[in-house]
Amino acid sequence: MDLMQGIAATATSLFAAQFQESYSIAVSKKAMDTQELAAQSMLEMLAQQPAPAKGAYIDTYA
């Protein structure tokens, strides 16, 4: 009977590890999707800004 308990404990531990890995991947994917949407909205805001006029910046390091 001790062998069966060991197998059951191992199977339970394996399932818990697989569940934890799946959960971690899902949370990471959700965070990546959120960051992608934030980056897209920032790029849209940058596209709306007019380009500076030529000669608007002076290179003081030259």
Side-chain angles (χ1 to χ4, degrees):
M1 195 66 173
D2 189 37
L3 178 64
M4 295 299 285
Q5 289 177 349
I7 293 172
T10 303
T12 303
S13 297
L14 179 62
F15 177 77
Q18 288 173 341
F19 178 76
Q20 182 179 7
E21 182 181 4
S22 296
Y23 183 81
S24 176
I25 290 171
V27 169
S28 297
K29 186 174 187 309
K30 182 67 174 173
M32 288 172 57
D33 291 343
T34 303
Q35 290 297 319
E36 182 181 7
L37 289 175
Q40 286 176 356
S41 65
M42 289 182 74
L43 288 174
E44 288 174 5
M45 285 190 281
L46 285 174
Q48 294 173 356
Q49 297 294 321
K54 189 172 185 180
Y57 298 102
I58 299 172
D59 185 6
T60 58
Y61 293 105

